[in-house]
Amino acid sequence: MKSDLVNAPYVGEFPVVLECRLLQTVEIGVHTQFIGGEILDVKVEESVLGGEDGRPDIEKIRPFAYDSMRQEYYGFGKVLAKAFSAGKELKK
């Protein structure tokens, strides 16, 4: 699909799309690392929104990552801990 605000396509079937402005490119050997840091637009399908809070639900989105070294896809798992409180036990 053609993006609304940036000159880059996106996959229309993806439930969440972030349109970002490219801020920097870095040449790393034969590869190019693209650093996009300014989010200009967010598109989220209703089907992946949570119940009462209406926020995107990670378990409904089911994001994945690609490991180019192993040529494998990995999914994300369950919640490990609540942010900003998990480390408090270590201070005691």
Side-chain angles (χ1 to χ4, degrees):
M1 307 278 305
K2 184 176 180 342
S3 295
D4 296 324
L5 301 176
V6 296
N7 186 20
Y10 67 90
V11 178
E13 292 82 5
F14 282 4
V16 178
V17 174
L18 303 177
E19 290 190 36
C20 300
R21 179 178 319 215
L22 179 62
L23 297 180
Q24 183 179 2
T25 59
V26 179
E27 299 299 324
I28 305 170
V30 297
H31 301 283
T32 303
Q33 178 182 20
F34 297 95
I35 302 170
E38 184 178 0
I39 298 173
L40 301 177
D41 191 21
V42 178
K43 295 170 176 42
V44 182
E45 287 183 5
E46 275 192 49
S47 64
V48 297
L49 297 178
E52 294 180 19
D53 64 8
R55 294 179 179 181
D57 183 334
I58 197 85
E59 291 180 359
K60 291 180 179 180
I61 296 169
R62 299 179 57 212
F64 59 89
Y66 177 67
D67 178 348
S68 61
M69 297 296 287
R70 292 186 171 84
Q71 297 183 343
E72 297 173 331
Y73 292 94
Y74 290 87
F76 291 78
K78 63 180 181 163
V79 173
L80 300 176
K82 285 298 247 180
F84 307 107
S85 61
K88 289 180 181 177
E89 292 297 318
L90 299 174
K91 286 186 173 183
K92 292 181 182 182

